[in-house]
Amino acid sequence: ANWAKRYKEHHPEDMVIWHFTGCSSASTKYSHIMWRIMMELEEMLSLRNLPVPDHDDTEMIEKEFPRWHEMAMGDRHNPRKRQLVLIVDAINNLDSRNNAMELVWLPLILPPTVRLILSTAPGKALQILLRRGYEEVKMEPLEEGERKAFLRMYLRKNSKKLTEKQELHIAEAEQAGNPRFLKVLLDDLSVFGDFQKLDTRIQRDLNAKTTANLYEIVLERIEEDHDKDGKDIVRTIMSLIYASRNGLYQDTELDPLLAKHHIEPHESASALVVMEELLFHSSGLINFSNADVRHAVVDRSMPGSGAKERLHI
């Protein structure tokens, strides 16, 4: 998400569409990925003569997608030849039904103005992509020296600083080799206000063995800081987003649902700002920024197998 945002800032003339597989139940369906790409292209290029199939019509989406995106990026609809960068994160999280992991839904040939960037864990999807000739860039865990350099640079950007002992304690932790884990930890420390208890907070964060576990700790802090009146604003927002199919539009979906919980728009707006790094915003749609956040919400905010059903989304 951060790379996509930076790319868009440095290449405003390009169109960028990103999809995070696993941030919602619908996001794991390959037909949903194709449908989202068509919907966002329709808006970006102001298309009027290329109707998008219905979201639930998987057969029509599969049939139309190759021809549709090729026509959308052609000279007639894209006369300025704007580049399209498609980013699909964690395709290993795809729902495996209907042979989705065979990637037959992914066109073999893309228009010359389209660049496709995929991320995946080792496995079947990666093997298929390599057979297709995709260039592979491996993301290795950060070495200890890289962790130190990153945390110093990142904290300096936020006008923060740790002692050498604290830096070493973080850099030596195995889970800090995961860039996302390290960034989430540093973000948490950057807003932690009690310097005298900073060592304790560092250890608390490092007790998390996965990034999802660390997000649970972050959610707990946010709830303690911003839910002091007992209205459970943070937990309610995250639970509603989890229970939705594709995320929620703030004005037309999230706010009315929150009103049923007696949460006013100005209260939710404040909480959404605080949770900015945990959420993904696209044209008014709010969803989880990655699958780790989703897992954290499930473990922390959705106890019991019937919790999702009780929300009636």
Side-chain angles (χ1 to χ4, degrees), residues 1-265:
N2 290 319
W3 182 89
K5 290 177 182 178
R6 288 197 301 271
Y7 182 92
K8 184 61 179 174
E9 290 172 358
H10 289 91
H11 301 83
E13 71 283 359
D14 288 356
M15 298 177 289
V16 181
I17 298 175
W18 55 83
H19 179 89
F20 302 102
T21 311
C23 65
S24 71
S25 57
S27 71
T28 63
K29 299 175 182 178
Y30 69 90
S31 60
H32 177 72
I33 297 176
M34 293 188 287
W35 178 81
R36 270 205 63 213
I37 291 172
M38 289 191 282
M39 287 294 293
E40 297 215 21
L41 268 180
E42 181 186 45
E43 180 178 346
M44 291 175 175
L45 293 172
S46 300
L47 302 177
R48 297 292 180 266
N49 300 320
L50 283 178
V52 177
D54 184 78
H55 178 269
D56 296 321
D57 193 344
T58 301
E59 183 177 350
M60 185 58 67
I61 292 172
E62 287 187 62
K63 178 181 178 181
E64 290 294 319
F65 182 72
R67 180 188 68 86
W68 197 99
H69 85 272
E70 185 174 351
M71 290 181 63
M73 296 303 295
D75 292 341
R76 178 183 175 187
H77 298 289
N78 185 27
R80 294 166 51 195
K81 297 188 182 299
R82 296 174 64 191
Q83 293 284 328
L84 170 63
V85 179
L86 293 176
I87 304 166
V88 183
D89 182 46
I91 59 172
N92 52 289
N93 289 332
L94 280 170
D95 186 327
S96 60
R97 287 175 290 186
N98 299 319
N99 296 317
M101 298 304 293
E102 298 289 342
L103 304 184
V104 293
W105 54 273
L106 194 64
L108 292 173
I109 301 176
L110 296 170
T113 51
V114 177
R115 297 291 179 268
L116 178 61
I117 300 173
L118 307 169
S119 75
T120 182
K124 188 172 187 178
L126 177 59
Q127 295 171 2
I128 291 173
L129 292 170
L130 292 176
R131 287 201 298 268
R132 289 191 182 187
Y134 277 69
E135 180 182 354
E136 179 184 13
V137 179
K138 292 184 178 181
M139 298 296 292
E140 302 290 348
L142 297 174
E143 299 290 342
E144 185 175 318
E146 294 174 317
R147 301 172 198 176
K148 288 181 181 178
F150 177 82
L151 71 86
R152 287 175 180 172
M153 176 191 69
Y154 194 79
L155 290 174
R156 189 183 306 119
K157 185 184 69 172
N158 295 322
S159 301
K160 303 291 182 179
K161 186 177 181 181
L162 299 176
T163 67
E164 290 188 13
K165 183 179 179 180
Q166 290 167 337
E167 290 179 351
L168 183 62
H169 186 38
I170 295 172
E172 288 181 339
E174 181 180 357
Q175 57 270 47
N178 182 319
R180 177 181 291 169
F181 182 99
L182 184 54
K183 179 183 180 299
V184 174
L185 182 147
L186 296 175
D187 284 336
D188 186 56
L189 298 181
S190 294
V191 298
F192 189 72
D194 193 339
F195 180 79
Q196 300 300 323
K197 297 181 180 179
L198 189 56
D199 285 334
T200 303
R201 185 64 185 187
I202 291 173
Q203 187 57 54
R204 173 74 190 283
D205 285 352
L206 290 177
N207 285 339
K209 299 306 179 185
T210 66
T211 307
N213 294 155
L214 183 56
Y215 275 128
E216 288 187 62
I217 295 173
V218 171
L219 281 168
E220 181 183 31
R221 170 183 53 78
I222 293 175
E223 290 172 9
E224 290 175 352
D225 291 345
H226 298 277
D227 276 344
K228 295 179 180 179
D229 59 359
K231 297 182 75 171
D232 283 339
I233 298 172
V234 171
R235 190 174 296 226
T236 301
I237 290 174
M238 299 304 257
S239 298
L240 289 170
I241 293 173
Y242 168 80
S244 67
R245 289 185 60 190
N246 311 307
L248 294 170
Y249 286 95
Q250 183 172 355
D251 294 339
T252 58
E253 296 176 331
L254 180 58
D255 284 348
L257 287 168
L258 290 173
K260 296 181 180 179
H261 294 266
H262 309 290
I263 297 173
E264 300 295 330

